[in-house]
Amino acid sequence: MSTEYPGIKKYPHLLSPLDLGFTTLKNRVLMGSMHTGLEETKNGFQRMATFYAERARGQVGLIVTGGIAPNEAGMVGPGAARMETDEDAEHHKVVTQAVHEAGGKICMQILHAGRYAYHPKLVAPSAIQAPINPFRPRELTTEEVWGEIEAFVNSAEKAKQAGYDGVEIMGSEGYFINQFIVSHTNKRTDEFGGSYENRIRLPIEIVRRTRERVGENFIIIYRLSMLDLIEDGSSWEEIVQLAKAIEAAGATIINTGIGWHEARVPTIATMVPRAAFTKVTAKLKGEVSIPLVTTNRINMPSVAEKVLADGDADMVSMARPFLADPELVLKAMEDREPEVNTCIACNQACLDHTFQMKLTSCLVNPRACHETELQYTPAAERKKIAVVGAGPAGLAFSTIAAQRGHEVHLFESSDQIGGQFNVAKRIPGKEEFNETLRYFSVMIEKTGVKLHLNTRVDAEQLAAGGYDEVVLATGIKPRTPDIEGIDHPKVMGYLDCLLERKPVGRKVAIVGAGGIGFDTAEYLTHEGTSPSLSPELFAEEWGVDLSLSHRGGLKPPHPHPSPRQVYLLQRKTSKVGKNLGKTTGWIHRASLKMKGVQMMGGCEYVRIDDEGFHIKVNGEPRTLDVDNVIICAGQDPLRELVDPLEAKGFKVHLIGGADVAAELDAKRAINQGARLAAEI
């Protein structure tokens, strides 16, 4: 790589080439596999081509696609993508060609879902139903197992035919291959069951036969589960044995897999510390001679550089960070890390969408997977635009509109940008939200947005400013429920607690169990260092054995005791936290449960007085002896400026909470701001 890039000195390990013998990768960055939904959508291959080519132009060393099934049984769901026929290979050529023209390299991930498949034709080593799947798999015969091996090999051959530089064989995360490896899911008595040697025959045969079929000059990455995080998972000695066998079978690279999908330990959500699992990969260094890739919660060039400098791995895998910013590597090369739009690991627009069968995108970058339709092209006519409110919606609109060439004035009544993100960033486990505010601060300056802090504007001032358009991103005001005694001294709003940091007693009731209620409970049950900032504390709290002296890397969890007794209440009789994120809701519930939080549905709020909080639970009277009652009972939009502005002839645009405040939704707010900015 040319030394003309100033970032080379700052990230010497990250930006150094990796020689694989028959080919060289330009740097040590692997764009990890993500299922985006583009694989199955209309014009999907053209959209995939645009999506991956943009990341290739951003200088990613090696891209891995989302999981593609080798046959019908292996599909993750009905109608999911397969690589099985010449026709399938032909469709993919537009993708590989686009990446190669952009100067990149790309591998196709072969993923057989096994018992995780969300369709009735699923198969597995044994007929054991996954706890996260309503379908029970059919046990394969011995002959059929050999047929599945051939399906992998054929899929790799077709991938080569399609122009891919290699394949990644998905052997981790609890999918088909992983299901054969551990006794937890493999109860077979034939040559693919019983002893560990028999249980690892499947992955070894797949890699060996694939190498024979595709020849030497083709990358084979094997994704190896190094930390199953389930009962009866692999031991460390078994992992080393498998890694050596996979190398001998012809793999080019071993990529780290962390945790099965059914594991009850968070592995990629925002409360997981950065680079929390790299020491697991480091343990394998020296056991094999092929390059090792480490993964999970590596989201900035500086984090990746430290991991490589410490010798934990030969490459780093970053997946969602390339949804957030396709130019992450290029920005490192050009020493522009402050301009990286950091992945905050919220899961809201990526994994949550995937599990809801929606197209993937990104909360902080709505263009992700929408590159063909959401474009920030120079404005045909330069306008002078006033934006009121510097929360996520206002920030997204302002920076994109200014980038397109408009003169943007951003007015914020407080002394800092961020809106509700200033609340979120204070929650233990949500420290990453600081990064989004850092990014917007940098982009305000770079794009020339004129920021006016501590400035409350009215319709008269805006009318006198000569603006062509006014965008209201004024956010929300917390709702006050009608409860007798709501003005009692022990009552406070969530902003008093989280933003103003007013003192809170040792016994607390929280009214409202939506996202803000859960955040408030998380804030009140932690004291001292947040586990999300310390891999050691995180591992202790959730029961992760990073030394792998326990099978599967699981040990008993030892959460730090809560400094408070907390009640989390809701009127609805449904499960508390039912509407939280599809892939993170269980984590929030588990976290609070570990802290002894009492979550109560079916509550009727009677009154608040000196005795405490009088409620009825499913009709039964109860008095909670609490020092404070914190109100998290929803929000209403702040729209006071709409009528006065319209009376003065302005066309007013409402975005973010000012438009809809039902649940604070940064994903919708940033998306709304970006899309309005793209067309204004």
Side-chain angles (χ1 to χ4, degrees):
M1 182 177 288
S2 171
T3 52
E4 68 196 55
Y5 286 105
I8 299 285
K9 290 178 183 172
K10 192 174 278 189
Y11 313 103
H13 299 86
L14 186 70
L15 300 177
S16 66
L18 180 63
D19 184 0
L20 299 178
F22 59 90
T23 190
T24 299
L25 305 181
K26 63 175 81 170
N27 54 52
R28 303 304 178 99
V29 181
L30 180 90
M31 177 176 159
S33 174
M34 293 173 285
H35 194 81
T36 62
L38 290 172
E39 297 87 350
E40 296 88 15
T41 201
K42 190 181 177 187
N43 301 323
F45 288 101
Q46 192 54 60
R47 292 178 67 173
M48 277 171 70
T50 305
F51 171 76
Y52 287 123
E54 191 163 305
R55 275 84 193 154
R57 281 193 299 277
Q59 301 301 313
V60 173
L62 180 61
I63 294 168
V64 179
T65 69
I68 308 287
N71 57 16
E72 186 183 18
M75 297 188 309
V76 290
R82 285 188 265 174
M83 179 64 89
E84 201 172 4
T85 65
D86 290 345
E87 188 183 355
D88 294 334
E90 199 60 37
H91 287 312
H92 281 256
K93 284 181 179 174
V94 65
V95 177
T96 57
Q97 188 177 340
V99 169
H100 293 151
E101 284 174 359
K105 287 186 167 65
I106 185 165
C107 292
M108 187 192 85
Q109 187 188 74
I110 308 174
L111 183 147
H112 190 306
R115 73 176 195 154
Y116 282 170
Y118 216 77
H119 58 75
K121 291 185 178 179
L122 69 172
V123 296
S126 301
I128 303 169
Q129 189 171 342
I132 58 173
N133 196 345
F135 298 106
R136 180 183 171 92
R138 178 179 66 80
E139 181 174 321
L140 291 161
T141 65
T142 305
E143 190 179 346
E144 286 175 325
V145 176
W146 286 107
E148 297 296 326
I149 291 170
E150 172 55 29
F152 272 89
V153 177
N154 172 66
S155 194
E157 189 175 33
K158 298 303 177 196
K160 185 177 183 183
Q161 195 176 311
Y164 283 102
D165 299 286
V167 290
E168 177 172 80
I169 294 167
M170 180 46 143
S172 70
E173 262 84 341
Y175 288 110
F176 182 73
I177 293 174
N178 215 169
Q179 292 159 25
F180 271 85
I181 291 168
V182 302
S183 60
H184 181 76
T185 42
N186 185 344
K187 308 296 182 186
R188 301 177 71 89
T189 55
D190 65 355
E191 61 200 279
F192 293 102
S195 69
Y196 187 67
E197 284 71 20
N198 281 1
R199 299 200 310 271
I200 61 175
R201 176 168 284 135
L202 179 95
I204 294 166
E205 286 293 341
I206 289 171
V207 173
R208 185 177 66 77
R209 289 167 182 239
T210 298
R211 177 55 74 203
E212 284 175 3
R213 192 78 60 88
V214 298
E216 289 304 308
N217 299 338
F218 192 70
I219 299 168
I220 298 178
I221 307 168
Y222 182 80
R223 185 85 169 266
L224 189 149
S225 184
M226 294 198 198
L227 201 62
D228 292 326
L229 298 176
I230 57 160
E231 298 294 335
D232 301 322
S234 295
S235 70
W236 180 246
E237 293 71 28
E238 289 171 345
I239 291 163
V240 172
Q241 183 181 336
L242 176 58
K244 288 178 174 177
I246 290 295
E247 177 180 21
T252 320
I253 294 169
I254 288 177
N255 193 2
T256 302
I258 301 290
W260 285 38
H261 285 312
E262 64 203 70
R264 304 315 283 170
V265 175
T267 54
I268 58 171
T270 190
M271 70 285 296
V272 178
R274 291 178 171 191
F277 303 108
T278 63
K279 296 303 175 191
V280 176
T281 313
K283 275 176 70 73
L284 197 58
K285 291 272 279 184
E287 300 285 359
V288 292
S289 56
I290 57 176
L292 294 175
V293 184
T294 197
T295 186
N296 288 45
R297 292 286 289 118
I298 300 166
N299 63 349
M300 288 293 272
S302 50
V303 177
E305 175 63 25
K306 184 178 187 309
V307 166
L308 295 169
D310 288 350
D312 290 358
D314 303 293
M315 287 187 83
V316 292
S317 172
M318 295 188 248
R320 295 168 304 163
F322 288 105
L323 291 175
D325 196 330
E327 293 189 332
L328 185 148
V329 180
L330 181 63
K331 287 176 180 177
M333 290 164 63
E334 294 176 350
D335 197 10
R336 296 190 288 130
E337 181 164 314
E339 290 178 32
V340 170
N341 195 2
T342 310
C343 167
I344 59 174
C346 66
N347 289 4
Q348 290 179 36
C350 51
L351 281 170
D352 283 0
H353 278 208
T354 299
F355 283 94
Q356 292 166 329
M357 307 297 179
K358 291 182 187 172
L359 195 63
T360 289
S361 191
C362 177
L363 180 143
V364 299
N365 175 27
R367 275 197 78 240
C369 298
H370 295 274
E371 290 83 4
T372 56
E373 37 117 357
L374 181 54
Q375 295 174 353
Y376 308 145
T377 52
E381 175 197 350
R382 189 170 194 254
K383 292 180 177 178
K384 186 178 182 185
I385 304 170
V387 183
V388 185
L395 290 166
F397 174 85
S398 298
T399 51
I400 294 165
Q403 175 191 323
R404 293 187 58 227
H406 295 303
E407 180 186 332
V408 179
H409 291 257
L410 176 58
F411 298 95
E412 169 56 45
S413 59
S414 74
D415 62 354
Q416 59 185 333
I417 65 166
Q420 294 292 321
F421 266 37
N422 289 315
V423 177
K425 71 184 186 184
R426 294 190 171 170
I427 310 303
K430 286 193 170 180
E431 293 84 2
E432 291 287 11
F433 283 64
N434 281 296
E435 296 291 354
T436 305
L437 299 185
R438 180 262 313 145
Y439 167 75
F440 277 126
S441 295
V442 171
M443 295 314 289
I444 282 170
E445 195 168 327
K446 185 176 171 103
T447 60
V449 173
K450 294 169 175 60
L451 177 63
H452 309 273
L453 294 173
N454 298 305
T455 306
R456 189 177 290 279
V457 288
D458 57 27
E460 295 291 334
Q461 291 165 294
L462 291 170
Y467 297 104
D468 299 303
E469 308 254 2
V470 176
V471 176
L472 290 187
T474 39
I476 54 89
K477 56 185 174 191
R479 192 179 298 146
T480 304
D482 185 15
I483 303 172
E484 187 184 330
I486 194 72
D487 51 2
H488 192 279
K490 66 174 62 176
V491 178
M492 63 170 72
Y494 68 89
L495 293 177
D496 297 322
C497 166
L498 302 175
L499 210 53
E500 305 298 328
R501 303 203 183 204
K502 290 185 178 174
V504 179
R506 293 287 158 183
K507 292 179 285 185
V508 184
I510 298 170
V511 174
I516 296 167
F518 268 82
D519 277 355
T520 304
E522 201 72 52
Y523 176 80
L524 293 173
T525 53
H526 281 83
E527 219 168 39
T529 304
S530 167
S532 59
L533 299 178
S534 162
E536 294 75 27
L537 277 178
F538 173 83
E540 184 186 351
E541 182 139 303
W542 286 93
V544 179
D545 173 21
L546 292 172
S547 71
L548 276 105
S549 50
H550 295 72
R551 265 194 181 276
L554 270 188
K555 63 180 181 180
H558 289 290
H560 211 269
S562 169
R564 293 180 180 84
Q565 181 184 351
V566 175
Y567 301 91
L568 183 58
L569 315 175
Q570 69 176 27
R571 284 197 172 104
K572 289 181 285 191
T573 54
S574 56
K575 182 179 180 181
V576 176
K578 182 175 179 249
N579 294 327
L580 296 176
K582 182 97 174 160
T583 60
T584 53
W586 70 268
I587 302 171
H588 298 304
R589 283 190 293 272
S591 177
L592 295 190
K593 198 173 175 185
M594 288 195 296
K595 297 292 188 181
V597 173
Q598 291 190 45
M599 295 176 246
M600 300 157 67
C603 297
E604 182 187 334
Y605 309 130
V606 180
R607 71 180 180 281
I608 302 161
D609 58 23
D610 291 348
E611 278 184 51
F613 192 10
H614 302 269
I615 62 173
K616 287 183 181 176
V617 183
N618 299 319
E620 291 289 318
R622 188 168 170 187
T623 301
L624 303 179
D625 174 21
V626 292
D627 305 308
N628 291 106
V629 177
I630 300 177
I631 307 299
C632 306
Q635 308 73 222
D636 294 310
L638 268 172
R639 296 178 181 158
E640 283 87 347
L641 282 171
V642 175
D643 291 343
L645 284 168
E646 286 181 344
K648 292 189 178 296
F650 279 107
K651 181 187 175 189
V652 178
H653 304 277
L654 288 170
I655 57 174
D659 178 38
V660 179
E663 265 289 333
L664 288 182
D665 188 348
K667 176 181 73 172
R668 184 182 51 75
I670 292 174
N671 187 40
Q672 256 190 327
R675 287 181 180 272
L676 179 62
E679 64 188 37
I680 204 161

